[in-house]
Amino acid sequence: MLDHGGRLRAASSRYGIALADWLDLSTGIAPYGWPLPAIPDSAWTRLPEQQDGLEIAARDYYGVANLLPVAGSQAAIQALPRLLRNVTVGIVSPAYAEHAAAWQREGHKLLEISEGAIERALERVDVLLLVNPNNPTGRLIEPARLLQWYRRLAERGGWLVVDEAFIDCTPEQSLAAFSELPGLVVLRSFGKFFGLAGLRVGFVLAQAELLASLAELLGPWPISGPSRAVATALLQDMSGHARQRQRLQADAQRLAQLLTAQGLSPTGGCALFQFCCVNDATALHEFLALRGILTRLFDTPLSVRFGLPGDDAGWQRLQQALAAFVQTRT
């Protein structure tokens, strides 16, 4: 199993700090959402049915004609490589590690490429895969540039796969509106923006034929009835979406300013996290962990990713810990 953020139990065991005493900043999941809707009894007692309104609500939210609900975008990440055979996949690196692992698991040839090398690599790959905004760097590539790459791939029957797990706060940057194009696959996460990763809901936006093949591969009832009910209600809450975007964007700016004030100016980031490349990243990660603050440490490039604190106590705790770390640098 690959390493991921949010592993509080492992951190609790390693550092001897109780679960309830941690400030978890190791994920890009919104630390707050909104009141959950009532779940009808039938969602618990009956098998899930597509006619419950989820697909309609999701199509309206993403502005698409076709999509497939999946058990978190992770389910699609693992299944998509099984729809092709013996292809060369260019993955824009660094990236969420599960992508490379999934394509490699199915025997495909992988090329890890930098953003600057994409233009030269397009003629050598059958699939170009990237995370936008990138995880962990937060780098965002504009739609016009992505579509240029897509057209060059499509001329040879290639695919462009874009993981948009962190794009909900900037929906104007999404390729969702173009997902009907053949060979364009867009992955969307529900849990990160809505702060409900435990529901395990995600969506694949693509041509109907590709979605049908993916649905057959995944089998029936990929999402539980209660998860479908909650996701349907929240996808329809347009005023709630606006409030969530506003709060996340404000807190992202607050986090960037806090880090900068402590001499840790972010190298990148988005509305759900900030990314800092620093030479003493390992020491910073360890210093915070010993104080019950869990961040995400990356080796390549050497860096620390910070999620958003969910309340004033968390913000104060992070500020004080960072100030203390800065003292150890002098």
Side-chain angles (χ1 to χ4, degrees):
M1 298 290 290
L2 298 176
D3 186 32
H4 295 284
R7 299 180 61 193
L8 274 181
R9 285 179 171 79
S12 176
S13 176
R14 176 178 176 180
Y15 295 98
I17 300 173
L19 285 174
D21 295 333
W22 283 90
L23 173 61
D24 185 8
L25 307 179
S26 67
T27 76
I29 300 166
Y32 37 71
W34 43 83
L36 297 180
I39 299 175
D41 291 344
S42 60
W44 299 100
T45 60
R46 296 181 56 82
L47 288 172
E49 295 185 82
Q50 291 185 351
Q51 294 77 18
D52 62 359
L54 175 60
E55 282 78 5
I56 294 173
R59 287 197 295 265
D60 289 344
Y61 177 80
Y62 295 116
V64 300
N66 294 301
L67 53 73
L68 178 69
V70 292
S73 52
Q74 180 64 40
I77 289 170
Q78 293 185 220
L80 276 172
R82 298 173 63 187
L83 298 181
L84 296 173
R85 289 289 177 269
N86 301 319
V87 298
T88 300
V89 184
I91 297 183
V92 182
S93 180
Y96 179 55
E98 290 288 350
H99 286 291
W103 288 92
Q104 191 169 38
R105 192 180 301 122
E106 298 303 322
H108 301 291
K109 180 180 178 181
L110 297 186
L111 298 177
E112 289 198 20
I113 56 180
S114 66
E115 182 182 334
I118 292 175
E119 294 284 351
R120 299 189 302 274
L122 284 177
E123 301 304 321
R124 296 186 289 131
V125 301
D126 305 295
V127 177
L128 177 65
L129 191 152
L130 54 92
V131 184
N132 199 46
N134 181 264
N135 177 20
T137 69
R139 165 71 173 152
L140 181 67
I141 301 174
E142 64 277 8
R145 194 175 180 202
L146 295 176
L147 289 172
Q148 289 176 352
W149 296 338
Y150 162 76
R151 284 190 284 270
R152 289 180 58 184
L153 290 163
E155 289 174 355
R156 299 182 291 104
W159 282 14
L160 174 64
V161 179
V162 185
D163 181 347
E164 295 184 343
F166 297 97
I167 211 165
D168 289 74
C169 283
T170 53
E172 70 280 0
Q173 299 293 331
S174 173
L175 287 189
F178 303 94
S179 59
E180 276 291 294
L181 294 172
L184 179 57
V185 183
V186 178
L187 308 181
R188 296 295 292 262
S189 168
F190 177 87
K192 294 178 177 62
F193 174 72
F194 288 93
L196 293 170
L199 283 186
R200 306 310 306 136
V201 176
F203 298 91
V204 183
L205 320 180
Q207 270 198 323
E209 294 83 357
L210 187 151
L211 296 177
S213 298
L214 189 59
E216 184 176 357
L217 184 61
L218 293 173
W221 315 301
I223 303 175
S224 72
S227 291
R228 290 180 66 96
V230 172
T232 300
L234 269 60
L235 286 167
Q236 294 172 328
D237 184 4
M238 296 181 65
S239 61
H241 306 158
R243 288 192 300 271
Q244 185 78 334
R245 288 190 183 102
Q246 184 178 26
R247 185 177 182 184
L248 288 170
Q249 288 168 340
D251 279 352
Q253 184 176 9
R254 180 181 179 181
L255 179 58
Q257 292 171 343
L258 187 157
L259 292 166
T260 300
Q262 299 299 332
L264 297 165
S265 298
T267 313
C270 65
L272 287 162
F273 59 80
Q274 294 296 309
F275 177 73
C276 298
C277 287
V278 289
N279 292 332
D280 50 356
T282 302
L284 172 59
H285 170 79
E286 187 73 8
F287 184 92
L288 294 175
L290 288 168
R291 287 152 182 80
I293 301 175
L294 188 61
T295 58
R296 186 73 193 279
L297 177 67
F298 292 91
D299 295 326
T300 308
L302 187 59
S303 54
V304 177
R305 192 188 67 190
F306 293 83
L308 302 175
D311 54 32
D312 288 339
W315 285 102
Q316 183 176 9
R317 184 175 173 187
L318 176 61
Q319 190 277 330
Q320 292 173 347
L322 290 175
F325 175 75
V326 170
Q327 292 299 314
T328 69
R329 285 173 140 185
T330 57

